[in-house]
Amino acid sequence: LLAAHALQTAADAPKISIGGKSFEGDYVQSFKLADLVTVQHITNNSDRAVEAVVSTAGVPATPEPAKANGFTIERGYFNFDGIAADLTKTKQNDRLVVTLKVKQTNAWPSQVMVTDLLPSGLEIDNPSLVSSASVAALDWLPEGTAGAHLEFRDDRFSAAITREKDDTSTMSFAYVVRAVSPGNFILPPALVEDMYRPFLNAKTESGVLEVK
């Protein structure tokens, strides 16, 4: 706190004007889209360069497409007999098997993080708490990736894996979800990234889920 205060009160603190109003020191402001209909003029009133960091946040108007850079990732939803599930015909209390297949397109050693965000209508059956949530007996599934650290959270499935150099094997994961809430929900993408080279990442396309 003392260091932050010293930075804010330093003699060379930024001096700027926004919309004709002067500000001295670090300036942080949140704007809604309606506030930015008119142009905001920013003037640097000091004799040194000022760094500006701008972040944007919002809800996409249309589902975002899949992307791949250094990885590929595929996600599937299946019934317990291995037949692909129709997410527009899911009923409350239905149980589905979610599969994730991840491939690294380079031969570097890496620390890989896989995250599958859940739509609001689904919950994970944690195999540590519910024995029927185990996927070990489903012989149609590929062999799961050994050595992965798995977490079954309220809003996501996560897996962390250490990849050795020249390891080209496909990373495979599966877990069980239950449809708990009827309604129409946004289906977020599944994500993978190199934790120490985050520009290497991939995601599935987003979609919709309907629980009847």
Side-chain angles (χ1 to χ4, degrees):
L1 289 174
L2 290 172
H5 179 72
L7 287 172
Q8 288 183 324
T9 58
D12 58 350
K15 297 179 179 66
I16 60 174
S17 297
I18 300 179
K21 296 181 179 180
S22 297
F23 300 92
E24 185 171 345
D26 291 342
Y27 176 84
V28 178
Q29 181 65 49
S30 176
F31 297 95
K32 294 183 179 180
L33 182 60
D35 301 329
L36 300 178
V37 174
T38 58
V39 176
Q40 299 288 325
H41 293 281
I42 302 175
T43 304
N44 180 10
N45 297 327
S46 66
D47 58 358
R48 65 183 184 89
V50 175
E51 183 179 86
V53 179
V54 179
S55 300
T56 59
V59 178
T62 57
E64 294 184 340
K67 72 172 186 177
N69 180 31
F71 292 91
T72 61
I73 182 169
E74 299 177 13
R75 177 175 61 189
Y77 289 86
F78 298 89
N79 300 320
F80 274 70
D81 55 6
I83 298 176
D86 185 347
L87 295 184
T88 64
K89 298 180 180 179
T90 306
K91 297 180 180 179
Q92 192 175 22
N93 291 322
D94 281 355
R95 299 171 73 231
L96 303 173
V97 178
V98 185
T99 64
L100 298 168
K101 294 182 179 179
V102 178
K103 193 168 184 64
Q104 187 172 340
T105 57
N106 59 64
W108 301 341
S110 55
Q111 304 287 329
V112 180
M113 187 73 195
V114 178
T115 304
D116 190 14
L117 302 171
L118 291 179
S120 298
L122 299 182
E123 284 186 359
I124 293 179
D125 278 356
N126 191 331
S128 300
L129 304 175
V130 183
S131 59
S132 61
S134 174
V135 296
L138 302 178
D139 55 7
W140 53 269
L141 285 173
E143 184 176 351
T145 297
H149 174 74
L150 307 180
E151 291 189 1
F152 304 89
R153 302 184 182 181
D154 291 340
D155 64 341
R156 71 192 62 196
F157 165 82
S158 300
I161 315 100
T162 299
R163 299 278 288 181
E164 303 298 334
K165 183 180 179 181
D166 297 327
D167 187 351
T168 59
S169 61
T170 299
M171 294 169 272
S172 299
F173 310 95
Y175 64 98
V176 176
V177 295
R178 184 187 302 272
V180 293
S181 303
N184 295 303
F185 307 98
I186 296 297
L187 184 63
L191 314 167
V192 59
E193 72 173 11
D194 186 324
M195 287 189 282
Y196 297 102
R197 290 183 289 260
F199 60 90
L200 298 175
N201 60 75
K203 67 176 183 177
T204 64
E205 63 182 359
S206 55
V208 294
L209 165 71
E210 182 178 359
V211 179
K212 301 181 183 299

